[in-house]
Amino acid sequence: MAAKVKSHKKLFALMFLAFVVFSAAFPVQAFAAAETEHYATWKEAQPVYFPDSEKTNMNEVAYAIEKVVDSGRQNLADGNTEAAYKCAQDAYYGYYEVCGFERQTMAQISGSRKNEVEFYYRDLRQAAKSNSLSDYDEAADNLMRDLYTDAPILSNISNEFVKKYVEDKGFAENYTKLTGQVLAEGNVTDNVGGAGSAGAVFAQAFVILLREGIEAILVIGGIIAYLIKSGNKKHVRAVYIGSLFAIALSFGAAILLNVIKAANATNGGANQELIEGITALIAVAVLFYVSNWMLSKSESEAWQNYLDKKVETSVSKGSMIALGFTAFLAVFREGAEVILFYQQIITDAQEGDGVGWLWLGVLAAAVVLVAIFIAIRFFSVKLPLKPFFLATSILMAIMAISFLGAGIKELMEGSFELVLRIQGITPLVEQIPTNDFLDIFGIYPHTETIVPQVILLCITVALFIRQHRENKKIKAELAAKAK
């Protein structure tokens, strides 16, 4: 009997040992669904899908993006949410952002369209994270519809792309469903608007510099005009120093971001968005302070100027630092991104012999920005004192609200998963149209950006009303002393 028990113990030990060895050899394969593989970047995908293509073609990029999105869907269906989320990230950072799709969309279609696509990418990530296959499918359809609509505007419909349409039945069916088009050899177009063409290079160089520079010029021009109007011209230097320091630091940040992206395409792109978002939110706080500081000076400055035009208004050391820091943030917020964009534009220009058009675009944008600066700097100071101070203060407040929306958007693009849904409010917010005018003011059809902006607007209005009452009291006291 004892021998039988001992024999059973040996058999059990052998079985347990075999189980341990098997588990060690096959720990994942035995108990978890395998991850559906994909190419994480366009650089990896192009030689596989389109080996005969010499240049990056946005229609072909869109095809590769769809393959990544499809892999994400398969992973999600298999219950592998982490792999699905990675696919959604790679589809943006490994393709849309790095190969020029984002940049060309902003320059040749519109900035609002770029933002729309970026929010669809964000919906895709959220659907993967929340393990919702229906939401993932909806976001994927919206995303690919935009990409397939935009791609022919940015690049020719190539022979290689049409071949894929003929060979890949699943892709052909989805492409026709989303676009309503059936492709054949006759659909091949001339590369009129390709990445390296003269028109494309000029448009990108002009639009990107102008778009990213306008906000900085508005802030810097307003501050300088304020200092001159208030008799503090000697402090203008601090604003210029802050701006120049931001430009220098932007080059350093661009180099660092390039290194990060080269090391890790996904996290590198996310880090760039996070840096831009955090910088924008810091700028919100500083602009809000500057706006209220300017407003608080308006009535007293006006009456002091009326009573004694020879008395120079003083600016404290702390206020001077704040003004210089505001100029720094306004420039640095977009500086690194502009430099990164221009690196890619230069590459495109060299491939397409459009270097001259690149510098022409830079020159044209610079002329427009200088004209805007001169208009603010010289013409605004001719306005009556009180309306000028009030207008400058309102401009700073508007820029703060704009930076708040843009900053939150950048954080959301950088995988900062902020989700806000308010019953009865979110459906209304989603009705806000997307266009370049609203984009300038950082207004997007998303509750996550609109609600904080409305809160800041309410606080701003409340402070304006309070300061207006304070100014009326100061005005009455000064008037009494003047009698």
Side-chain angles (χ1 to χ4, degrees):
M1 184 71 178
K4 285 185 178 182
V5 172
K6 191 173 182 181
S7 175
H8 288 154
K9 284 182 177 180
K10 286 182 178 180
L11 179 62
F12 178 78
L14 288 172
M15 291 175 63
F16 179 77
L17 180 61
F19 174 79
V20 170
V21 171
F22 182 85
S23 298
F26 307 100
V28 177
Q29 292 87 338
F31 300 105
E35 177 182 340
T36 302
E37 295 183 355
H38 66 280
Y39 297 105
T41 66
W42 169 243
K43 187 176 180 180
E44 299 172 50
Q46 183 179 14
V48 177
Y49 295 136
F50 303 98
D52 297 329
S53 295
E54 296 180 359
K55 295 182 180 180
T56 296
N57 181 292
M58 296 310 153
N59 295 282
E60 297 170 5
V61 173
Y63 171 87
I65 290 175
E66 182 178 328
K67 293 303 178 184
V68 179
V69 171
D70 287 346
S71 292
R73 188 191 190 283
Q74 186 60 53
N75 283 315
L76 196 61
D78 292 340
N80 197 336
T81 56
E82 185 176 339
Y85 184 85
K86 186 179 186 304
C87 287
Q89 279 194 307
D90 289 346
Y92 179 71
Y93 296 115
Y95 290 81
Y96 188 75
E97 191 181 60
V98 300
C99 72
F101 214 137
E102 174 193 33
R103 167 173 47 88
Q104 291 186 44
T105 299
M106 183 168 62
Q108 297 184 57
I109 301 177
S110 70
S112 58
R113 178 62 152 198
K114 175 191 79 85
N115 291 329
E116 181 179 290
V117 170
E118 288 175 336
F119 275 117
Y120 286 148
Y121 271 114
R122 173 241 182 178
D123 292 342
L124 200 68
R125 292 197 304 269
Q126 287 188 343
K129 196 169 187 177
S130 60
N131 197 21
S132 174
L133 200 58
S134 60
D135 288 347
Y136 190 95
D137 287 340
E138 181 181 356
D141 282 349
N142 289 332
L143 171 65
M144 296 314 304
R145 183 181 293 110
D146 274 10
L147 294 183
Y148 283 136
T149 300
D150 296 347
I153 300 173
L154 307 176
S155 298
N156 65 309
I157 295 179
S158 62
N159 278 310
E160 289 74 16
F161 185 71
V162 174
K163 287 178 184 177
K164 280 295 179 186
Y165 181 89
V166 174
E167 296 169 357
D168 191 334
K169 300 301 180 184
F171 156 62
E173 182 180 334
N174 195 48
Y175 184 88
T176 300
K177 181 189 79 171
L178 295 176
T179 65
Q181 296 183 16
V182 177
L183 297 183
E185 286 188 17
N187 293 116
V188 176
T189 58
D190 294 329
N191 193 9
V192 177
S197 66
V201 169
F202 175 84
Q204 292 173 55
F206 176 79
V207 173
I208 288 173
L209 182 57
L210 181 65
R211 177 186 172 85
E212 307 299 342
I214 282 179
E215 290 180 346
I217 289 294
L218 288 175
V219 173
I220 294 169
I223 292 173
I224 290 175
Y226 175 88
L227 289 171
I228 293 172
K229 187 75 170 177
S230 62
N232 291 282
K233 189 174 182 178
K234 63 182 181 181
H235 295 303
V236 168
R237 185 178 64 174
V239 178
Y240 286 130
I241 290 174
S243 302
L244 291 174
F245 183 62
I247 293 173
L249 198 61
S250 292
F251 279 96
I255 293 171
L256 178 61
L257 288 169
N258 248 345
V259 172
I260 294 174
K261 283 186 175 183
N264 189 320
T266 299
N267 289 339
N271 288 338
Q272 178 183 331
E273 308 291 356
L274 290 173
I275 291 171
E276 292 172 5
I278 292 169
T279 303
L281 294 183
I282 295 172
V284 170
V286 179
L287 281 166
F288 186 70
Y289 165 78
V290 170
S291 170
N292 285 280
W293 178 75
M294 287 181 173
L295 183 67
S296 69
K297 298 292 182 184
S298 62
E299 198 69 60
S300 59
E301 299 286 0
W303 277 89
Q304 187 65 31
N305 185 65
Y306 171 78
L307 293 173
D308 189 355
K309 293 183 179 180
K310 293 183 179 180
V311 176
E312 180 183 306
T313 306
S314 63
V315 176
S316 67
K317 183 178 179 181
S319 299
M320 183 184 70
I321 293 173
L323 293 175
F325 190 49
T326 304
F328 166 81
L329 290 172
V331 175
F332 181 71
R333 175 178 171 261
E334 300 294 350
E337 184 173 23
V338 169
I339 293 166
L340 288 171
F341 275 153
Y342 265 76
Q343 289 178 358
Q344 297 168 359
I345 297 173
I346 290 171
T347 301
D348 290 344
Q350 290 172 337
E351 291 178 357
D353 298 324
V355 175
W357 287 97
L358 183 151
W359 294 115
L360 189 60
V362 172
L363 180 62
V367 168
V368 175
L369 291 173
V370 169
I372 294 172
F373 175 78
I374 290 174
I376 297 173
R377 162 68 176 80
F378 292 102
F379 295 117
S380 62
V381 295
K382 295 180 180 180
L383 295 173
L385 198 62
K386 182 178 177 180
F388 169 78
F389 283 140
L390 182 61
T392 308
S393 177
I394 291 174
L395 173 64
M396 295 298 116
I398 291 173
M399 297 309 296
I401 294 171
S402 170
F403 278 32
L404 179 60
I408 294 174
K409 180 182 80 72
E410 297 289 355
L411 291 177
M412 291 161 63
E413 290 171 11
S415 301
F416 188 85
E417 301 300 338
L418 175 64
V419 181
L420 181 62
R421 295 288 183 269
I422 302 176
Q423 188 174 3
I425 300 296
T426 298
L428 293 176
V429 170
E430 290 175 347
Q431 298 305 310
I432 296 174
T434 56
N435 55 58
D436 284 346
F437 176 77
L438 294 178
D439 186 47
I440 291 174
F441 297 100
I443 298 174
Y444 311 105
H446 296 276
T447 317
E448 294 86 352
T449 60
I450 290 293
V451 169
Q453 286 177 305
V454 170
I455 293 172
L456 181 60
L457 177 62
C458 292
I459 294 172
T460 300
V461 170
L463 290 175
F464 266 53
I465 293 172
R466 178 188 173 191
Q467 193 60 56
H468 178 68
R469 291 173 179 171
E470 290 290 327
N471 287 344
K472 284 181 69 175
K473 185 187 295 185
I474 293 171
K475 180 178 178 179
E477 292 174 356
L478 291 170
K481 290 179 181 179
K483 291 181 180 179

